[in-house]
Amino acid sequence: MAMVGRVRPLRLAVALLLVLPLVTASAGPHPTRPIALTDVLPAVAEAAPDPGGDFRITADTEISATESALAVAGQLAEALRPATGFDLRLVRASRGPVIDLALEPGHPDEGYRLEVRQDRVELRATYPAGLFFGVQTLRQLLPPEIESDTVQRRRWTVPGGRIHDRPRYAYRGAMLDLARHFHTAAEVRAYIDQISRFKINYLHLHLSDDQGWRIRIDSWPRLTEVGGAPGTGVGGDGGGFLTKDDYRELVRYAAERYITVIPEIDMPGHVNAAQVAYPELACDGVAPRPRTDMRVGYSSLCVREETTYRFVEDVIRELAEMTPGPYLHVGGDETFATPHGSYLAFQRRVLPLVRKHGKIPYGWHEIGQSPAAGDALLQFWGRERDNPMVNTAVAAGAKLVMSPANRTYLDMKYDSLTPGGLDWAGAIEVRTAYDWDPDGLLADVPATAILGVEAPLWSETLRDYADIEFLAFPRLVAIAELGWSPARSHDWESFRARLGTYGSRWVRQDVGFHRSPQIRWS
Ligand code: NGO
């Protein structure tokens, strides 16, 4: 203390100025703290930092790529252009400072190696998808200003070291419900842009429900003429549908970001809109009234009528024709208006139709009750007590995608004060979405049966794109980390710190995320 008393005031001020940033940096995420090699969402599998190996991107940096890596290299150059102002040259080989992308054998599917040294950055993967995911990591290793759409004057340093990364699960999905409130192709593209940052690789589109029908089917044109008309959203909002060209363009746009689109037509329940358009799909042949409320479980296709199967096959055929991905989702949930025997009879005919048209049948976990579910993919959205519905199918070879509603449903409120959202599965704050294990949830299901995770976003309360962003972010990132990062790296404190620093990226991208009080946002 006596020593401090003798220090001159100016010296003390200087000393404090030097020490304070260290104190705040160690107290938690801070915008001026240099980015570490592990500051990535979802967490990388292995990282070995090398403090002497920082790489600086300047106007002279080149991006070199072999033929097969060229497309992803172009995406990288484009991503770096707005904020750096650099028009980085794409070359085949370079002698100068370079970010070098190439394919090489030996990496796991979708995995990659990213090595940052003083003179070069090397990105390697066996398939272009791995390069794309590596590029997403590289973007997060640059300062948050990289997300600006105007030129920012600053140093663009990437922390030195080596990352080996690969996904825990082959399936990392997000679902968007276009039926309750239609969202345009442009809005779906914006969502694709955002989710692709976090290495999501499937986009499931819920395209039909009681309120509306959102995908053009040529052989049954009234589905969208009537079911996609103005006012067909919940509360009489909106309306609209995707044309086949819109859909194909979305499939292409998603594929460029290594995301596979999965279309869903929900049946035999959730079909009121189809029956308004085609009364012959109801057993009494009478068109029901259009519905814009949020109730579920009251409609059913007429299981004993051949017309139903003609309809179902036409829809499956047309969807399969424009869907390159392996899965076709046939819903199957909440069929309270379909007697159990009829439900089984329906699935006995419909699941093989999906296979007939070259796709793997995918459905909500209720389809697991059908002996025909065999090698289908089941989306588990329930609680443990629903286990018996999937056990037989899993024993017969079915795989599971985990979407427990009380963890992964992005349409649930964060807390009782959240504007919008539903609450039937409980409030889901970020930690609730993050702190669980997809492998361990169902006691009788072996980990080998879990294909991955998906975060559904139902749209009963989602009127515009801002509503989507607010409910999806940050929780979607929690599910993305469960899907990508190794189980051993699961750590709430680490996730929370990384998410806190990511916030400033969303601010720069103008993403209206929920500023969860559980996170210290920087
Ligand atoms: C349930 C229901 C949907 C609702 C959603 C709202 C499933 C699989 N079916 O999930 O129709 O929109 O909840 O959270």
Side-chain angles (χ1 to χ4, degrees):
M1 287 320 263
M3 291 287 287
V4 174
R6 264 183 267 134
V7 175
R8 293 224 297 270
L10 182 64
R11 288 233 189 119
L12 182 66
V14 170
L16 276 178
L17 274 178
L18 287 175
V19 169
L20 265 181
L22 294 177
V23 174
T24 29
S26 61
H30 190 271
T32 58
R33 182 172 68 94
I35 292 168
L37 201 65
T38 46
D39 279 348
V40 180
L41 286 168
V44 300
E46 290 162 46
D50 170 13
D54 291 1
F55 179 84
R56 209 177 137 196
I57 300 179
T58 68
D60 297 328
T61 306
E62 292 180 322
I63 300 181
S64 60
T66 50
E67 178 69 34
S68 44
L70 213 55
V72 178
Q75 289 172 312
L76 172 64
E78 232 172 86
L80 300 183
R81 188 171 302 125
T84 62
F86 305 151
D87 218 351
L88 302 183
R89 283 205 311 143
L90 281 185
V91 296
R92 283 305 159 97
S94 163
R95 288 174 173 278
V98 69
I99 304 176
D100 182 56
L101 281 70
L103 297 182
E104 66 180 24
H107 297 277
D109 287 2
E110 301 188 295
Y112 65 90
R113 171 172 63 85
L114 179 66
E115 199 162 332
V116 182
R117 300 201 299 256
Q118 236 174 37
D119 58 336
R120 60 193 276 120
V121 173
E122 233 175 64
L123 178 56
R124 295 288 182 271
T126 301
Y127 303 102
L131 293 179
F132 181 83
F133 297 133
V135 162
Q136 303 319 308
T137 297
L138 181 56
R139 294 171 81 175
Q140 290 188 35
L141 293 177
L142 283 157
E145 288 83 354
I146 197 67
E147 306 299 344
S148 286
D149 54 8
T150 55
V151 176
Q152 308 291 305
R153 306 238 159 264
R154 59 156 301 136
R155 274 171 183 260
W156 302 105
T157 308
V158 186
R162 181 195 289 223
I163 289 176
H164 273 109
D165 205 7
R166 71 195 76 88
R168 176 180 180 188
Y169 294 112
Y171 186 110
R172 306 171 305 276
M175 187 206 88
L176 198 54
D177 171 10
L178 299 188
R180 274 50 177 276
H181 275 98
F182 180 65
H183 292 96
T184 62
E187 291 171 319
V188 180
R189 279 196 295 276
Y191 198 52
I192 290 173
D193 284 343
Q194 279 303 323
I195 64 179
S196 70
R197 297 293 194 110
F198 306 104
K199 306 181 172 91
I200 293 288
N201 64 349
Y202 283 94
L203 176 66
H204 164 187
L205 295 175
H206 183 78
L207 293 168
S208 69
D209 215 298
D210 290 316
Q211 298 83 349
W213 187 285
R214 309 301 182 196
I215 179 77
R216 164 79 186 185
I217 299 294
D218 292 337
S219 50
W220 298 74
R222 284 175 54 79
L223 289 171
T224 43
E225 283 162 16
V226 176
T232 50
V234 164
D237 290 340
F241 64 92
L242 300 175
T243 64
K244 285 192 162 177
D245 282 348
D246 290 337
Y247 180 84
R248 287 195 187 96
E249 167 57 17
L250 278 179
V251 166
R252 193 198 57 75
Y253 190 86
E256 269 179 14
R257 287 149 188 82
Y258 299 90
I259 291 178
T260 301
V261 171
I262 300 172
E264 178 192 349
I265 295 300
D266 204 349
M267 48 195 173
H270 292 270
V271 293
N272 193 73
Q275 292 173 331
V276 172
Y278 290 101
E280 60 267 44
L281 297 176
C283 277
D284 61 7
V286 178
R289 68 185 166 90
R291 296 285 289 255
T292 57
D293 59 287
M294 300 200 281
R295 278 194 49 220
V296 292
Y298 53 82
S299 61
S300 176
L301 289 174
C302 189
V303 170
R304 60 169 190 267
E305 283 297 333
E306 278 313 301
T307 316
T308 296
Y309 301 98
R310 202 165 43 78
F311 164 77
V312 170
E313 182 160 7
D314 285 342
V315 170
I316 289 175
R317 189 190 64 249
E318 290 195 34
L319 274 180
E321 274 165 9
M322 52 182 175
T323 302
Y327 301 111
L328 203 145
H329 201 303
V330 288
D333 59 321
E334 298 179 319
T335 48
F336 313 132
T338 318
H340 186 63
S342 306
Y343 184 79
L344 296 183
F346 179 80
Q347 299 299 2
R348 193 164 49 240
R349 292 194 59 177
V350 169
L351 296 176
L353 283 179
V354 178
R355 293 190 188 96
K356 174 178 167 192
H357 290 280
K359 300 294 168 191
I360 300 170
Y362 187 12
W364 298 105
H365 68 246
E366 289 96 320
I367 70 162
Q369 300 167 95
S370 162
D375 58 353
L377 188 56
L378 313 181
Q379 187 166 14
F380 185 81
W381 64 284
R383 293 165 200 262
E384 277 151 69
R385 64 180 150 72
D386 300 319
N387 228 355
M389 285 203 200
V390 300
N391 284 353
T392 319
V394 166
K399 297 265 186 223
L400 288 188
V401 168
M402 299 304 288
S403 299
N406 60 349
R407 300 285 189 173
T408 67
Y409 270 31
L410 301 178
D411 53 309
M412 291 302 123
K413 289 176 181 291
Y414 291 97
D415 58 37
S416 58
L417 298 178
T418 304
L422 305 176
D423 58 8
W424 67 264
I428 306 182
E429 247 301 349
V430 182
R431 185 165 190 169
T432 307
Y434 181 74
D435 253 347
W436 62 285
D437 181 12
D439 277 359
L441 197 76
L442 298 179
D444 301 332
V445 172
T448 48
I450 310 290
L451 191 65
V453 287
E454 181 173 299
L457 182 47
W458 300 95
S459 67
E460 282 92 335
T461 69
L462 307 182
R463 290 156 157 244
D464 55 27
Y465 190 69
D467 295 337
I468 293 183
E469 282 185 345
F470 179 73
L471 287 173
F473 304 110
R475 288 180 294 193
L476 175 101
V477 190
I479 306 306
E481 177 145 320
L482 286 171
W484 179 276
S485 308
R488 64 174 155 71
S489 75
H490 188 88
D491 177 36
W492 165 249
E493 286 305 327
S494 154
F495 178 71
R496 167 171 187 254
R498 283 176 287 120
L499 196 54
T501 18
Y502 198 91
S504 65
R505 292 175 196 268
W506 276 327
V507 170
R508 287 183 168 83
Q509 293 166 38
D510 231 0
V511 171
F513 63 104
H514 164 60
R515 289 182 167 271
S516 163
Q518 296 183 332
I519 310 297
R520 206 172 319 130
W521 300 101
S522 63

